[in-house]
Amino acid sequence: MDLKKYEEIFSRESEKYLDELDGALIEIEKDLLNQPLWGDIHGKIHSIKGMARALSMENSMEEWCKLFQEDPHKSCEESVQLLLDGTQILRTLVSEKGNIRLPDHLKQYDALTNRFSRGPGEPDEVKTDEVKPDEMKSVLARTIYAPKRIGHVCVEYALIEELLGYSQEIIQLEKRLPPMTREDVSSGVKVWFDHYMSVLKELYFRLTKLRLIPIDDFASLFRKTLRDLSKNYERKINFEVAGGDLQVDIALMDRLREPFIHILRNAIAHGIE
C-alpha cells in the first residue's frame, strides 16, 4: 500500500482544518459567548484527530471547546490564546508527520499538554522544568511574522472541463492532417498549423487562469499574523480589504508576501509617520 499518497491527503486536509480553526478562534476572541461558533471550533478539532503524538493534547483541546460550547461563560481570552498556541503545535506536527524535532517546540508541546490536562479555570502548576509563559511566547514569536505560502488553490470544475476539451482537440488535430496533393500542401499545412496554434494559445490562456486567486484569499493568509502582531504591540487593529473579488496571479502575490508583512508590521508598530 502506498502510504505516501494518503499522508499527503491527510496533510492537505489537516492544513485546511487548521486554517479554518485559526480563523474561528480569531473570531471567537471577539465574541466569547458565541455558542454556535464554539460548537464549530469543537467540530474542527475533532476532525483533525489522527496524529499519534498530538492525541493527548488534541483530546484535551477538544474537551475544553466542548466545555465552552456548553457554557461559553467559562471561556476567556487566555483560553483562546492557549487554543491558538495548541493549533500552532498541531501545525508543526502535521508538517513533521507527527514528530517534533526542535527542543523549543517539544518544550512547548509538553507545557501545553500539561496545561490542557487541567480545567480552563484551574491554576497553573509550578514546575521548575516546565517552560515559562514568556518562553512559550518567544517560541511563537519566531513565526509570528511569516504567513505560510499558498500551497493549493480551488479551481472551478468548468475550467478543468475546458482544459480537458482543449487537450483532446490538440491530440485529435495531430491525427487529422488531411491528405493533400503537392499543390495543396502549402495552403493546407498553413490552415492546419494556424488552427493548431490557435488551440494551443487558448489552452495556455486557460492554464494561466489556474494561477488566479481572489485578493480575499491572499489577504486571509495574514489574519493570524495580524492578530498576533496586534497582541504583540498591544494595539487594536481593523483589517479591511477593498476589491476582494479581484483575481490576481498567485505567483506575483507570493513574491509580495514579505513586502506586505513589512508594510503591515510597520503600520501597526508606527502608524502613519
Side-chain angles (χ1 to χ4, degrees):
M1 182 182 292
D2 183 11
L3 293 179
K4 186 176 180 181
K5 178 176 71 174
Y6 295 101
E7 286 177 355
E8 290 175 354
I9 294 172
F10 171 77
S11 178
R12 185 165 61 247
E13 289 299 306
S14 296
E15 281 289 343
K16 183 186 76 170
Y17 278 117
L18 287 167
D19 287 343
E20 292 174 355
L21 185 56
D22 273 343
L25 286 169
I26 292 171
E27 288 303 312
I28 202 69
E29 198 171 34
K30 304 169 188 173
D31 184 12
L32 291 171
L33 301 182
N34 190 330
Q35 203 164 11
L37 187 52
W38 275 121
D40 186 41
I41 292 169
H42 172 241
K44 292 185 190 307
I45 292 178
H46 181 77
S47 298
I48 56 177
K49 279 187 173 180
M51 292 168 287
R53 278 203 73 140
L55 196 57
S56 59
M57 186 182 75
E58 210 169 356
N59 276 336
S60 299
M61 289 174 66
E62 184 181 355
E63 289 171 5
W64 275 37
C65 291
K66 186 177 180 181
L67 179 65
F68 298 152
Q69 182 184 359
E70 293 169 353
D71 185 2
H73 291 88
K74 292 183 177 179
S75 64
C76 64
E77 287 190 12
E78 181 190 1
S79 302
V80 176
Q81 181 61 59
L82 285 166
L83 288 168
L84 281 165
D85 292 349
T87 302
Q88 184 65 42
I89 287 296
L90 291 179
R91 199 180 296 280
T92 300
L93 285 161
V94 168
S95 64
E96 299 293 344
K97 296 182 172 60
N99 297 312
I100 299 180
R101 294 184 172 85
L102 294 178
D104 285 345
H105 286 164
L106 183 59
K107 286 173 68 178
Q108 190 192 21
Y109 169 81
D110 290 339
L112 286 171
T113 301
N114 183 278
R115 182 63 189 90
F116 281 124
S117 66
R118 303 190 297 278
E122 295 180 25
D124 290 346
E125 296 178 0
V126 179
K127 291 185 178 180
T128 55
D129 59 342
E130 185 175 298
V131 63
K132 297 177 183 178
D134 288 343
E135 292 175 352
M136 290 173 61
K137 184 177 179 181
S138 69
V139 173
L140 291 176
R142 294 176 194 146
T143 56
I144 194 173
Y145 307 130
K148 65 174 190 172
R149 292 183 178 276
I150 302 169
H152 301 88
V153 294
C154 296
V155 180
E156 291 184 5
Y157 183 73
L159 181 57
I160 296 175
E161 287 290 294
E162 280 186 7
L163 292 171
L164 288 172
Y166 278 111
S167 300
Q168 289 172 349
E169 188 172 351
I170 289 172
I171 292 171
Q172 292 302 317
L173 270 173
E174 188 180 8
K175 300 176 182 178
R176 285 206 309 247
L177 186 61
M180 291 172 285
T181 63
R182 181 170 301 196
E183 291 75 17
D184 295 334
V185 166
S186 179
S187 60
V189 169
K190 185 179 186 307
V191 171
W192 179 89
F193 184 77
D194 287 345
H195 187 191
Y196 190 81
M197 289 304 298
S198 175
V199 175
L200 278 178
K201 287 177 181 177
E202 283 296 326
L203 178 61
Y204 176 77
F205 175 71
R206 295 298 190 280
L207 283 171
T208 59
K209 292 178 70 175
L210 290 175
R211 299 204 323 183
L212 299 180
I213 61 169
I215 285 180
D216 261 340
D217 287 356
F218 177 71
S220 67
L221 297 175
F222 297 88
R223 291 183 66 195
K224 174 67 163 53
T225 304
L226 287 167
R227 181 262 176 198
D228 292 344
L229 283 167
S230 70
K231 294 288 183 182
N232 192 50
Y233 286 103
E234 297 181 348
R235 303 274 175 84
K236 184 177 180 180
I237 63 172
N238 184 31
F239 183 57
E240 295 181 1
V241 179
D245 293 334
L246 183 67
Q247 299 281 317
V248 290
D249 188 281
I250 190 173
L252 172 63
M253 300 313 288
D254 200 39
R255 289 196 294 269
L256 291 175
R257 283 184 326 120
E258 294 303 324
F260 263 112
I261 276 297
H262 182 72
I263 292 170
L264 292 170
R265 184 171 62 242
N266 281 352
I268 294 169
H270 308 297
I272 300 175
E273 294 184 345

